[in-house]
Amino acid sequence: MRVPLLDLRAQYATLAPAIEAAVKRVLESGHYILGEDVAAFEKELAAATGRAHAVAVSSGTDALLLALMALGVGPGDEVVTTPLSFFATAGAVARVGARPVFADIEPDSFNLHGADAAARVTARTRAILPVHLFGRAADLAPLRATRLPIIEDAAQAIGVATLGAGTRCATLSFFPSKNLGAAGDAGALVCEDAEFADRLRLLRAHGSRPKYVHHVVGGNFRIDTLQAAILRAKLPHLTAWNTARRRHAERYATLLAATPLGLPALVEGHVWHHYVVRVPDGRREALRQHLGERTIETEVYYPTPLHLQPCFAELGYKAGDLPHAERACAEVLALPVHPDLSAAQQEHVAAAVAEFYG
């Protein structure tokens, strides 16, 4: 039995008429950048996330970059963030000329350790950039106590109810594999501050308003109209998809309870972008090979912590500096948890794991 990590073909099969109608509508309109579908998607996304404003952009990476630019973060500034995330989290900080400052993670949640992050704040810190990793909301209370702007990297966490509430903004990714995925790159930012949202919109289009009058140097962060239209067709299904992911996580908790794997906690509000276990005793690669031989796809998120990436060598971090993140990178393994996963497929995964440890 094949168990894919993600099954976008199955998702498309259930939504094909709506998606194809959306694509046809855009193609026939002849309007492919911004426009009515983008405006409508932003309104619908704001409502779905419970925020006053949503600004759709070209990718989740560009959403991070745009948020930092809107805050005026630049050379000489520091941004405190996590070493356990996709590269874009720290990469965006470096791209605006600022210095990423890494704090360790909570070993149970994999999220940024709030107290450690707060302890690394200096006079140069301009913002804190936590990540709601794998779909679990990070604890922001210790970060709020610093009174610094907080940018939430929520690329993996759409559906978490608190995104953008009481922070400067939350950034979203609609990369195809996300809980809400486009047919290519796309992203968004959600926030409550009208003035901040207006600045995001200005920067999104080269700082131009009106056309050919450039008030600031922005970028080309516009979302394609086609992607917005496709996302509009998918957005009404997000709650059901997240509910299915939660159901699968609960089933794994039962099926894998007797194994040596370290299982993620079933916390309220988790949207389960990934179901990530810990494989102890240095046996992750052996388990991954064993599952692969039984046509079960897995992935490692992430094999190297960001503070030890070669491009950040000049920051001076060394192995052992952030031990919880480093240990996680040696143990984590993502099992399939996508909405179209069947109970039989999950039982196949559990049986294969039991066989490995048998």
Side-chain angles (χ1 to χ4, degrees), residues 17 99 101 106 110 122 139 163 183 191 233 236 255 264 278 287 295 300 302:
R99 176 189 177 93
V101 174
E106 298 172 340
F110 299 119
T122 72
D139 180 9
L163 299 183
C191 66
L255 291 173
R278 284 182 178 267
L287 175 58
T295 62
V300 175
Y302 297 90

Side-chain angles (χ1 to χ4, degrees), residues 31-104:
H31 195 139
Y32 304 146
I33 300 293
L34 298 179
E36 293 181 4
D37 265 295
V38 172
F41 173 61
E42 290 177 335
K43 182 177 179 180
E44 291 157 7
L45 179 63
T49 57
R51 302 284 74 83
H53 306 280
V55 180
V57 296
S58 41
S59 70
T61 299
D62 287 342
L64 288 167
L65 190 61
L66 185 57
L68 291 164
M69 291 173 64
L71 278 178
V73 177
D77 295 332
E78 296 178 348
V79 176
V80 179
T81 190
T82 174
L84 188 62
S85 180
F86 180 62
F87 178 77
T89 304
V93 175
R95 285 178 63 189
V96 296
R99 176 189 177 93
V101 174
F102 297 106
D104 213 346

